[in-house]
């Protein structure tokens, strides 16, 4: 983030008090901060009482061997029972759990908690019949259909940790995850709908399975939901491995006794980008995760399960979908909307139409989406009745003040508070956010650590900075939904998060932040080689590795350049191998496609520049800062530490002649 933006941020002086009616009936009041400050473990124990435990814990937190935490030690529970069965047992079986809205017009389903229970039990029985046992990993590679939620809960029910891989990831990305967590079964669908067209998913699973087999790992079964009815082709079905969902799930019994698992039993692994090429498998466990997500969902969104209709627009393939579409809301007995398609299909007002049709009251989305709508103009949302809305949420990156004001005025009718929620795949739960009945919202600030969460901004030495200063965001005390480790890599877990402020024992989030004069927190973006593109995390190194794996590329450097809509955009600089000559006319498009194939469409560079050299220090480190200057069309900064300071002239000249590379 540029200095200019930074100072603009700190000049922001608007603030919006909570609406009086919301404040008067809020689920959580200011007293929660005091309660948590006086006795943090006691506070989280109270939050845990909101769930059904088969066996109560002996100890709230075991932090004897940091950074390896154990929460609710000795407690036992079943996550699926907590998200589904207990609501049915409490007499709410007829309550709608999910209003599912498909992309093709009129493709809708209404799923009550009873329906969900039956489906989850059937799927659990089907997984058992395929040989899945507690502890086995199951990969889920699916579109946004109800079966995806059913599959996750069925895994949780039988204690098989799931790893959901975003359906937009390539077969290569899927293969590396299958191998890393040794997934026994993959659950997928023949395909999904996107902007009116059916696109295949099963073929990517076949490719991934073949790649995994090449690395010596065999997936035992692939369970396939029929969604689009696409022709799978002559070689698209392997009788020894592939099983149709409707063959084994529909005929399975709807009776299944949920077994209680240890609070620390693994619930899921979610892969996310880090600073090196290899994605990290973030491990979340059962008890603490469910406590953290259900507490924060109730507090931040002020959910009134009897009357609210909640909608989180995230894809279930990301952590937001896990914590605030599946586990948090379902544990709280929410009625929610789940939408399969994109915001602009079949028309640009689709989301607003859904809010109108289902009378959505709580809406949670990402700044990148809001900025896209801003560009399209307010006439589109103005054409729909959005008066049911009472609370708006934002996640994924800082919401810039302009987008905040537009969201507040145009979507929220100037009456809905906005909760800007900061958290990460690793934190599992929202960590910094206004409480809607307590905290006045400032456009662009995530405001205050949640009750029970100790977040701070520190300097290089780990000392808390005074108000009005910036530094690194840290978490000073463990929290229930925290990651427990990286799958199979305790050392990398320690190095990545706990070594930067080892002396103090702080968790290093990788984000820069600032405290304003009131002590409220403003997030300033990543301080490492992680980019944030449309609220999705991408690693510069991972994309560089993908580029270098192309036979024509000798070297590559990737930077995240500021982008009006997506926050940041991927910009790549490549040096071609001598043998590749000038690479050919379509080299840029060829490389963009290659990155898409290796990682997925979200990682496709916006711009690729073929350059003769890269700027390096004398010790050979690429100076990405200078490349960023070029990508953001700024004057190139200080080049004195470059081994060869003329390199930047060469690259700048290329830049001048490369307009048109932008996609
Ligand atoms: O840089 C922060 C940014 O997203 C990162 C976490 O990305 P991921 O694990 O993919 O999770 C995204 C959804 C929780 C953070 O390190 N980030 C997320 N929310 C915000 C944010 N930055 C500023 N403000 C936010 N509200």
């Amino acid at each position: 983030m540029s200095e200019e933006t930074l100072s603009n941020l700190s000049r922001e002086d608007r603030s919006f008090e909570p609406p009086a009616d919301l404040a008067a009936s809020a689920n959580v009041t200011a007293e929660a901060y005091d309660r948590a400050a006086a006795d943090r473990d006691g506070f989280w124990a109270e939050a845990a009482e909101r769930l059904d435990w088969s066996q109560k814990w002996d100890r709230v937190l075991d932090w004897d061997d940091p950074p390896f935490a154990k929460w609710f030690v000795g407690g036992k529970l079943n996550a699926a029972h907590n998200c589904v069965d207990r609501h049915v047992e409490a007499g709410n079986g007829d309550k709608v759990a999910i209003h599912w809205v498909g992309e093709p017009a009129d493709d809708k389903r209404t799923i009550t908690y009873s329906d969900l229970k039956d489906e989850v039990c059937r799927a659990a029985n089907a997984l058992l019949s395929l040989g899945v046992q507690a502890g086995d990993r199951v990969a889920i590679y699916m579109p946004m259909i109800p079966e995806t939620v059913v599959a996750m809960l069925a895994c949780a029910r039988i204690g098989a940790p799931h790893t959901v891989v975003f359906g937009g990831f390539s077969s290569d990305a899927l293969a590396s995850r299958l191998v890393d967590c040794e997934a026994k079964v993959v659950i997928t669908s023949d395909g999904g709908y996107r902007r009116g067209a059916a696109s295949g998913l099963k073929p990517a699973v076949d490719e991934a399975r073949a790649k995994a087999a090449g690395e010596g790992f065999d997936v035992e079964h692939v369970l396939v939901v029929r969604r689009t009815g696409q022709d799978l082709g002559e070689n698209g079905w392997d009788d020894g491995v592939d099983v149709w969902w409707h063959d084994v799930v529909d005929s399975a019994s709807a009776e299944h006794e949920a077994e209680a698992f240890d609070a620390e039993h693994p619930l899921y692994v979610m892969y996310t980008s880090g600073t090196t090429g290899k994605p990290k498998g973030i491990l979340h466990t059962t008890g603490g995760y469910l406590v953290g997500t259900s507490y924060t969902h109730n507090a931040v969104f002020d959910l009134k399960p009897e009357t609210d209709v909640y909608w989180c627009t995230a894809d279930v393939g990301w952590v937001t979908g896990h914590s605030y579409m599946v586990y948090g809301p379902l544990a709280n007995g929410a009625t929610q909307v789940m939408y399969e398609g994109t915001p602009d299909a079949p028309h640009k007002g689709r989301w607003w139409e859904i809010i109108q049709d289902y009378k959505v009251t709580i809406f949670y989305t990402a700044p990148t989406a809001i900025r896209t709508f801003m560009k399209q103009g307010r006439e589109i949302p103005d054409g729909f009745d959005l008066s049911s809305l009472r609370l708006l949420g934002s996640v994924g990156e800082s919401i810039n003040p302009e987008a905040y004001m537009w969201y507040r005025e145009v979507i929220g009718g100037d009456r809905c508070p906005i909760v800007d929620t900061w958290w990460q795949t690793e934190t599992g739960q929202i960590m910094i956010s206004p409480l809607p009945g307590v905290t006045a919202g400032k456009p662009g600030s995530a405001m205050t650590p949640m009750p029970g969460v100790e977040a701070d901004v520190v300097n290089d030495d780990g000392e808390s900075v005074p108000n009005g200063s910036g530094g690194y965001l840290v978490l000073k005390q463990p929290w229930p939904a925290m990651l427990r480790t990286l799958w199979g890599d305790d050392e990398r877990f320690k190095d990545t998060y706990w070594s930067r402020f080892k002396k103090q024992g702080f968790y290093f989030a990788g984000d820069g932040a600032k405290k304003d004069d009131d002590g409220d927190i403003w997030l300033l973006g990543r301080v490492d080689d992680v980019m944030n593109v449309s609220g999705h995390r991408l690693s510069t190194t991972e994309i560089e590795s993908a580029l270098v794996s192309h036979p024509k590329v000798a070297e590559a450097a990737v930077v995240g350049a500021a982008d009006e809509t997506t926050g940041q955009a991927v910009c790549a600089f490549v040096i071609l191998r001598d043998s590749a000559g000038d690479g050919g006319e379509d080299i840029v498009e060829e490389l963009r496609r290659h990155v898409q194939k290796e990682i997925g469409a979200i990682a496709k560079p916006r711009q690729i520049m073929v350059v003769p050299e890269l700027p390096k220090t004398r010790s050979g480190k690429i100076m990405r800062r200078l490349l960023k200057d070029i990508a953001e069309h700024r004057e190139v900064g200080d080049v004195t530490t470059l081994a060869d300071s003329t390199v930047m002239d060469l690259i700048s000249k290329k830049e001048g002649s490369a307009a048109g590379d932008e996609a």
Side-chain angles (χ1 to χ4, degrees):
M1 189 170 286
S2 70
E3 280 304 317
E4 197 188 339
T5 326
L6 250 175
S7 55
N8 276 343
L9 269 180
S10 53
R11 274 206 300 272
E12 177 60 55
D13 54 7
R14 281 170 291 204
S15 115
F16 298 97
E17 291 297 326
D21 53 341
L22 200 157
S25 64
N27 289 355
V28 174
T29 63
E31 188 265 333
Y33 295 110
D34 303 334
R35 169 79 188 97
D39 173 12
R40 204 181 51 254
D41 287 5
F43 168 82
W44 285 120
E46 267 168 34
E49 298 285 359
R50 299 164 42 82
L51 300 176
D52 252 8
W53 296 79
S54 307
Q55 187 174 308
K56 202 174 162 174
W57 56 92
D58 314 311
R59 200 175 160 193
V60 176
L61 169 65
D62 172 351
W63 191 233
D64 298 345
D65 179 25
F68 299 98
K70 293 195 183 93
W71 281 86
F72 307 106
V73 184
K76 285 191 192 309
L77 77 171
N78 185 287
H81 165 86
N82 272 284
C83 290
V84 184
D85 304 37
R86 70 173 174 138
H87 305 310
V88 178
E89 287 165 15
N92 291 322
D94 292 339
K95 187 168 191 272
V96 175
I98 299 173
H99 288 292
W100 179 75
V101 186
E103 197 194 85
D106 298 328
D107 200 357
K108 295 176 190 146
R109 280 163 69 182
T110 303
I111 299 156
T112 65
Y113 274 94
S114 286
D115 299 335
L116 192 58
K117 176 172 179 281
D118 290 351
E119 272 299 288
V120 170
C121 288
R122 286 200 182 95
N125 283 322
L127 286 173
L128 291 170
S129 73
L130 292 176
V132 179
Q133 295 174 357
D136 289 341
R137 273 79 61 205
V138 174
I140 299 179
Y141 185 65
M142 300 269 268
M144 287 284 282
I145 55 178
E147 285 80 359
T148 311
V149 178
V150 170
M152 289 166 75
L153 293 169
C155 288
R157 193 171 187 95
I158 62 172
H162 53 71
T163 185
V164 182
V165 179
F166 173 56
F169 274 128
S170 67
S171 60
D172 283 353
L174 176 61
S176 72
R177 287 154 173 80
L178 295 181
V179 173
D180 191 72
C181 75
E182 300 175 301
K184 190 168 185 173
V185 166
V186 181
I187 308 179
T188 189
S189 68
D190 49 358
Y193 290 102
R194 219 174 152 73
R195 299 204 171 88
S199 66
L201 275 178
K202 171 71 166 59
V205 176
D206 295 344
E207 275 174 43
R209 200 160 62 76
K211 278 176 201 146
E215 292 181 37
F217 176 73
D218 288 320
V219 169
E220 288 182 18
H221 286 291
V222 180
L223 181 56
V224 189
V225 176
R226 184 177 280 154
R227 168 69 189 129
T228 55
Q230 279 164 295
D231 180 8
L232 295 175
E234 213 173 296
N235 301 317
W237 196 261
D238 178 342
D239 280 330
V241 174
D242 297 332
V243 187
W244 282 113
W245 175 280
H246 53 259
D247 282 343
V248 292
V249 176
D250 292 1
S251 56
S253 162
E255 296 298 318
H256 178 268
E257 185 75 26
E259 184 187 338
F261 293 99
D262 192 274
E264 284 300 333
H265 187 80
L267 181 63
Y268 71 82
V269 179
M270 167 110 263
Y271 285 87
T272 186
S273 296
T275 50
T276 68
K278 190 173 178 278
K280 303 177 289 195
I282 308 293
L283 174 68
H284 285 293
T285 59
T286 309
Y289 177 78
L290 217 54
V291 171
T293 53
S294 63
Y295 173 79
T296 50
H297 181 260
N298 175 64
V300 171
F301 299 106
D302 190 47
L303 181 86
K304 308 282 195 259
E306 306 309 320
T307 47
D308 275 320
V309 179
Y310 167 85
W311 183 18
C312 165
T313 64
D315 191 283
V316 73
W318 307 107
V319 75
T320 309
H322 282 50
S323 297
Y324 297 107
M325 203 190 99
V326 179
Y327 291 106
L330 294 177
N332 289 338
T335 293
Q336 66 178 319
V337 168
M338 175 178 186
Y339 174 50
E340 180 185 32
T342 52
D344 53 357
H347 57 82
K348 291 197 170 92
R350 186 73 171 122
W351 277 12
W352 319 124
E353 184 177 56
I354 292 173
I355 291 179
Q356 171 181 279
D357 289 353
Y358 290 89
K359 300 199 166 34
V360 171
T361 58
I362 305 170
F363 182 63
Y364 191 31
T365 193
T368 181
I370 298 164
R371 288 192 297 265
T372 306
F373 296 128
M374 275 173 79
K375 272 211 253 171
Q376 293 167 355
R378 68 174 294 159
E379 310 75 66
I380 298 173
D382 279 351
F384 297 89
D385 178 4
L386 305 180
S387 62
S388 56
L389 288 169
R390 69 178 192 95
L391 197 142
L392 303 173
S394 171
V395 62
E397 61 179 301
S398 296
I399 175 161
N400 46 309
E402 299 73 29
Y404 184 106
M405 291 310 296
W406 191 89
Y407 195 24
R408 199 184 141 85
E409 286 168 18
V410 178
I411 306 305
D414 231 354
R415 66 181 183 278
C416 306
I418 297 178
V419 287
D420 174 2
T421 62
W422 179 88
W423 58 294
Q424 308 178 298
T425 307
E426 289 86 343
T427 69
Q429 66 182 72
I430 293 170
M431 302 297 279
I432 307 177
S433 167
L435 283 180
V438 178
T439 323
K442 297 180 189 171
S445 169
M447 302 301 292
T448 327
M450 290 292 291
V453 167
E454 307 267 328
D456 198 1
V457 183
V458 300
N459 64 18
D460 270 318
D461 298 324
E463 293 155 351
S464 183
V465 302
N467 289 353
S469 309
Y472 305 104
L473 184 74
V474 295
L475 301 167
K476 294 182 157 179
Q477 294 292 340
W479 62 98
M482 68 195 282
L483 78 167
R484 298 302 193 260
T485 189
L486 296 180
W487 186 256
D489 204 343
D490 286 348
E491 281 312 307
R492 191 173 173 202
F493 168 62
K494 288 196 265 186
D495 284 354
T496 311
Y497 307 104
W498 303 93
S499 63
R500 179 72 182 75
F501 297 105
K502 189 161 187 240
K503 201 168 79 200
Q504 297 85 352
F506 297 161
Y507 170 92
F508 173 52
D511 279 26
K514 181 183 170 83
K515 287 191 235 172
D516 67 15
D517 293 341
D518 303 323
D520 294 320
I521 297 178
W522 300 70
L523 279 308
L524 303 176
R526 301 287 306 188
V527 294
D528 54 13
D529 291 332
V530 171
M531 287 172 287
N532 188 328
V533 178
S534 297
H536 299 313
R537 249 162 93 165
L538 294 171
S539 146
T540 51
T541 331
E542 197 180 347
I543 302 175
E544 285 166 5
S545 308
L547 284 165
V548 174
S549 73
H550 189 282
K552 289 184 183 167
V553 175
E555 260 194 278
V558 165
V559 295
D563 183 281
E564 243 183 50
T565 308
T566 57
Q568 286 189 309
V570 180
C571 289
F573 296 79
V574 297
I575 303 180
L576 298 180
R577 285 174 193 262
D578 289 346
S579 56
D582 68 358
E585 219 176 286
D586 294 331
I587 182 69
V588 167
E589 206 31 52
E590 187 177 329
L591 295 179
R592 293 180 75 232
R593 271 201 308 272
H594 180 70
V595 174
Q596 172 166 6
K597 182 186 148 293
E598 291 286 308
I599 304 174
I602 47 167
K604 222 169 151 179
R606 178 186 74 181
Q607 185 182 21
I608 295 182
M609 286 178 62
V610 177
V611 292
E613 283 296 339
L614 288 170
K616 290 188 186 152
T617 60
R618 284 171 199 96
S619 60
K621 202 168 161 336
I622 294 174
M623 292 192 71
R624 289 200 180 77
R625 172 173 63 77
L626 300 177
L627 294 175
K628 213 168 151 155
D629 288 340
I630 299 229
E632 294 180 348
H633 310 293
R634 261 196 313 274
E635 193 161 322
V636 173
D638 184 3
V639 295
T640 48
T641 50
L642 283 184
D644 174 0
S645 60
T646 60
V647 166
M648 287 317 290
D649 294 336
L650 289 174
I651 298 177
S652 301
K653 268 196 210 112
K654 279 296 285 191
E655 214 269 321
S657 61
D661 281 356
E662 303 215 358

